[in-house]
Amino acid sequence: PLERVNNHDYWAAWAVMVTAINLQDRAMFHWAVEQYAVAASQVDSQGYLPNELRRDSRALSYHNFALQPLVMVAIFGEANGEALSALNNHSLARLVDRVLRGIDKPEIFEQVTGSEQKVDGLREPWSLAWLEPYLSRYALPASSLLDVNALRAMKNSRLGGDLTWYFYTPAKPKKVRNLSIEPFVQE
């Protein structure tokens, strides 16, 4: 049920997306896209994931954790012709903005949850490694105070290793390196 869908489902979608691309399995790919669509539908108008808000003092951390697979599914999906970031009126951008605002000012999550937020590790490169693929396609929200260059190199083993190496091209920050991801052949 939707009230139980959370970051575990997003991580499953990421795992299936990577597997689908490696195996060139269209059914698995579409399953991952459908899971992303469910996640996108859960992002509210303020950029919150209601099921992750239930984490009380860890709500901000879990929002950030949920962003990791969601960004990866969106980027890989879009590399294969699916406009995932546009779903639910650009819910991915709202979620990114909310998380980055929360990292700068955790009290916005405290107001919603009623709990002081635990923020240990949130400003670490491994925790924000999702930013590198995100920034390969989209701009950093104007509201963010993060110094992205100070975070580089962003590495996260769950997301594939050194994401700065894969996604960051200083001369052309919006260009994605060739990830050896072959788009699915159109039927």
Side-chain angles (χ1 to χ4, degrees), residues 82-140:
E82 296 286 336
L84 299 181
S85 66
L87 294 178
N88 188 18
N89 196 25
H90 301 278
S91 63
L92 183 62
R94 285 196 312 279
L95 181 58
V96 166
D97 185 62
R98 178 57 54 201
V99 167
L100 293 178
R101 284 177 190 251
I103 289 171
D104 290 334
K105 294 183 179 182
E107 54 271 11
I108 65 174
F109 275 80
E110 292 169 10
Q111 291 170 352
V112 175
T113 64
S115 299
E116 184 176 341
Q117 295 299 295
K118 295 181 182 178
V119 296
D120 296 344
L122 277 179
R123 289 184 170 270
E124 298 297 325
W126 56 266
S127 180
L128 294 170
W130 59 265
L131 267 171
E132 207 69 91
Y134 184 83
L135 294 175
S136 73
R137 301 239 181 203
Y138 314 106
L140 188 68

Side-chain angles (χ1 to χ4, degrees), residues 120-180:
D120 296 344
L122 277 179
R123 289 184 170 270
E124 298 297 325
W126 56 266
S127 180
L128 294 170
W130 59 265
L131 267 171
E132 207 69 91
Y134 184 83
L135 294 175
S136 73
R137 301 239 181 203
Y138 314 106
L140 188 68
S143 63
S144 179
L145 303 175
L146 280 178
D147 179 1
V148 176
N149 285 322
L151 294 169
R152 291 187 170 113
M154 293 185 231
K155 300 176 183 179
N156 185 311
S157 60
R158 288 184 183 110
L159 303 179
D162 186 343
L163 298 181
T164 296
W165 186 83
Y166 287 133
F167 289 97
Y168 179 63
T169 309
K172 298 178 183 176
K174 294 295 179 206
K175 181 157 175 52
V176 178
R177 289 181 189 225
N178 183 348
L179 299 175
S180 299

